[in-house]
Amino acid sequence: MSKPIVAIIGRPNVGKSTLFNALAGERISIVKDTPGITRDRIYADVTWLDTQFTLIDTGGIEPDTKNEMFAHMREQAEIAIDTADVIIFLVDVRQGLVDADSKVADMLRRSNKPIVLVVNKVDNFEKFMPDVYEFYNLGIGDPHPISASSKLGFGDMLDEVTKHFKNISNWDEEDERPRIAIIGKPNVGKSSIVNKLLGENRVIVSDIAGTTRDAIDTPIRRNKKEYILIDTAGLRRKSKIKEDIEHYSIVRTVAAVERADIAILVIDATEGVTEQDAKIAGIAHDRGKGIIIAVNKWDLIEKDSNTVNKFSANIKNVLSFIPYAEILFISAETGQRLNKLFDLIEVVIQNQNLRISTGVLNEIMAEATALQQPPSDKGKQLRLYYITQVAVKPPTFVIFVNDKKLMHFSYTRYIENKIREAFGFAGTSLKFFIRERKENS
């Protein structure tokens, strides 16, 4: 099930990043070796009461000149409108209602997306309430006063945000067809792959705000089975600012990956694997999706008997946090090996849904701990009591231990590798939760 997406938008300096960080809190577990996630974290998973959603910060860059600022604001608002299910429109009580706020409000109103108007920097509710009421003039509903820095007013705001989720169409809930997202940097050939697979040149670009969801989901039949292709290449932004294009492609990727079962990461063979590829791969890995790496434009590469091995080794080096990903060398131009894509997709789907009996898991764990002693600290030895699988898509395991602090990341990785040696799990990440269980006295 895909989580709703909530985007924060607003003028520069109204406190978007402060609000984002306050909501994201420390709950974000950043996998130590996922690159790019810490440095420019623009999305996070947030839980409010029993509801989960993905939060997107459209903070980005903030140009100085006034007219450039409007262009930039429009850019940010369009990103939010395209990808979000609910929009938090953030304004600043201390600066009051300004012209730029009204311009953005007009755009948002036309989007027909639910908008929650949030007035920030209200550190004293009694003192500032008359100024908060001024924002009724925007004509987009009740203003919700908060202070992002003091975390005041969050409950009412989040109640309002999550209230809109029940109206979001859950059409993809009942849809059993596997959803495949084609992701990657701009210009690596994502559209060409989609068009080649569908056997037609579709024009995906649309000028109507809010049509993205329908415009980019295409059913496709292969081997008597139906799939949904989610294409992130559509709806290009006409931005001149490089950071904006990059920011936009990351936001689009988060939105597509959120709704997919499997992500196909397209890499340009002529460029090799880059840091931006790693950032995009990190999004799919973080969300526990199946991953296939499609190296496109392979027909343009001069080859000898070692080319594939060298290229694969380089991918495994740069994308070392997804050693499980399947790699396929293709050409959208010539159609080379594109037919193999769906065979791989099927393998990954089976692995994502694989369940292993508790008995077998505990045998593997017993053998693993016998081969390599669990770590100890200050004379206290880690003991692993029991392992069981609790979910699929991705396969998720709980390990019961005597002391969570002793279960180092590297030892969890070691257990994971032992499970993979036995069952492969090609193309899918595995998730592990460590629980403490007191020793029997």
Side-chain angles (χ1 to χ4, degrees):
M1 173 183 164
S2 60
K3 294 194 284 285
I5 292 179
V6 177
I8 305 173
I9 79 152
R11 285 182 299 109
N13 307 320
V14 293
K16 295 191 292 292
S17 295
T18 311
L19 176 58
F20 176 84
N21 290 331
L23 288 173
E26 293 312 302
R27 271 192 303 266
I28 294 205
S29 58
I30 291 157
V31 179
K32 302 188 187 40
D33 50 4
T34 309
I37 301 281
T38 19
R39 227 183 15 265
D40 42 10
R41 216 180 63 198
I42 57 169
Y43 65 93
D45 296 319
V46 178
T47 306
W48 173 241
L49 303 177
D50 53 357
T51 309
Q52 284 195 324
F53 60 92
T54 296
L55 184 68
I56 289 179
D57 176 17
T58 59
I61 16 157
E62 301 184 335
D64 308 327
T65 65
K66 281 284 173 277
N67 42 359
E68 224 184 280
M69 189 178 94
F70 284 139
H72 184 73
M73 289 281 308
R74 157 171 264 114
E75 190 93 13
Q76 299 287 20
E78 284 176 349
I79 292 175
I81 287 166
D82 278 356
T83 52
D85 295 302
V86 179
I87 293 163
I88 292 177
F89 179 25
L90 197 63
V91 291
D92 179 343
V93 76
R94 292 171 192 233
Q95 294 175 26
L97 180 55
V98 300
D99 189 35
D101 291 330
S102 306
K103 286 199 163 93
V104 177
D106 289 341
M107 281 183 66
L108 293 177
R109 203 180 292 108
R110 286 196 296 273
S111 75
N112 295 324
K113 296 266 171 112
I115 298 150
V116 178
L117 175 60
V118 177
V119 186
N120 192 19
K121 305 186 188 174
V122 183
D123 299 321
N124 178 327
F125 279 37
E126 278 168 29
K127 179 176 150 196
F128 284 112
M129 275 329 268
D131 301 324
V132 170
Y133 294 138
E134 183 193 0
F135 289 95
Y136 270 109
N137 291 318
L138 287 171
I140 50 175
D142 300 334
H144 297 269
I146 67 155
S147 162
S149 55
S150 318
K151 300 191 179 178
L152 294 173
F154 278 18
D156 291 347
M157 170 186 70
L158 288 169
D159 283 347
E160 187 60 31
V161 167
T162 51
K163 192 174 83 186
H164 292 291
F165 295 166
K166 60 178 181 296
N167 303 327
I168 297 166
S169 124
N170 268 343
W171 50 266
D172 52 2
E173 299 282 289
E174 299 79 56
D175 197 333
E176 290 293 305
R177 295 174 291 185
R179 292 192 294 281
I180 317 296
I182 312 275
I183 61 173
K185 296 181 311 189
N187 307 321
V188 290
K190 297 189 294 291
S191 285
S192 314
I193 291 173
V194 171
N195 290 337
K196 195 76 170 178
L197 289 173
L198 295 168
E200 55 186 293
N201 261 321
R202 286 153 48 255
V203 180
I204 314 162
V205 182
S206 155
D207 300 326
I208 308 155
T211 54
T212 46
R213 285 226 147 169
D214 331 52
I216 56 175
D217 283 15
T218 318
I220 180 169
R221 272 188 83 82
R222 271 292 190 288
N223 312 331
K224 300 188 180 138
K225 203 169 162 191
E226 273 218 353
Y227 304 86
I228 300 281
L229 282 186
I230 303 171
D231 176 15
T232 56
L235 290 131
R236 300 195 185 287
R237 285 278 150 257
K238 298 172 189 65
S239 176
K240 295 172 190 63
I241 311 166
K242 178 179 180 289
E243 287 90 334
D244 247 10
I245 294 170
E246 235 169 64
H247 181 97
Y248 182 67
S249 76
I250 293 272
V251 171
R252 294 279 290 155
T253 302
V254 173
V257 165
E258 193 59 78
R259 295 170 43 238
D261 300 306
I262 293 177
I264 295 176
L265 172 66
V266 183
I267 290 177
D268 185 331
T270 60
E271 274 185 41
V273 57
T274 66
E275 193 187 334
Q276 182 73 353
D277 294 322
K279 265 186 215 171
I280 291 171
I283 294 168
H285 171 68
D286 259 15
R287 281 166 162 57
K289 305 297 179 177
I291 304 179
I292 294 169
I293 298 167
V295 183
N296 190 24
K297 308 184 188 175
W298 194 239
D299 53 316
L300 304 179
I301 298 294
E302 291 273 321
K303 299 176 205 50
D304 60 35
S305 58
N306 209 16
T307 316
V308 165
N309 292 343
K310 261 168 58 182
F311 211 100
S312 299
N314 194 25
I315 288 176
K316 287 197 180 305
N317 182 30
V318 178
L319 307 181
S320 59
F321 56 96
I322 48 168
Y324 55 83
E326 289 284 353
I327 303 174
L328 188 63
F329 294 89
I330 62 165
S331 162
E333 188 60 37
T334 65
Q336 180 187 14
R337 283 196 209 88
L338 268 186
N339 56 342
K340 292 243 179 8
L341 204 48
F342 284 90
D343 299 341
L344 264 189
I345 286 169
E346 272 311 303
V347 168
V348 176
I349 288 171
Q350 278 167 12
N351 285 330
Q352 279 184 308
N353 289 290
L354 191 57
R355 279 188 186 275
I356 301 174
S357 76
T358 301
V360 171
L361 281 171
N362 282 285
E363 274 173 37
I364 293 171
M365 190 170 79
E367 202 173 296
T369 50
L371 280 172
Q372 190 174 322
Q373 198 74 36
S376 58
D377 186 34
K378 298 190 181 72
K380 187 170 187 187
Q381 178 86 37
L382 169 70
R383 294 178 54 182
L384 284 70
Y385 296 129
Y386 186 74
I387 180 172
T388 186
Q389 184 174 352
V390 292
V392 293
K393 279 175 72 172
T396 305
F397 305 90
V398 175
I399 301 177
F400 291 94
V401 300
N402 61 337
D403 187 344
K404 245 160 89 162
K405 291 194 285 294
L406 290 173
M407 186 76 173
H408 297 168
F409 177 69
S410 56
Y411 202 75
T412 308
R413 177 65 62 88
Y414 165 69
I415 298 290
E416 173 176 342
N417 290 339
K418 287 294 175 200
I419 292 173
R420 284 189 186 279
E421 273 173 32
F423 290 97
F425 281 114
T428 183
S429 65
L430 303 182
K431 275 205 165 47
F432 288 85
F433 291 103
I434 310 303
R435 297 263 187 278
E436 250 174 48
R437 204 169 78 184
K438 289 291 159 256
E439 298 187 49
N440 299 332
S441 46

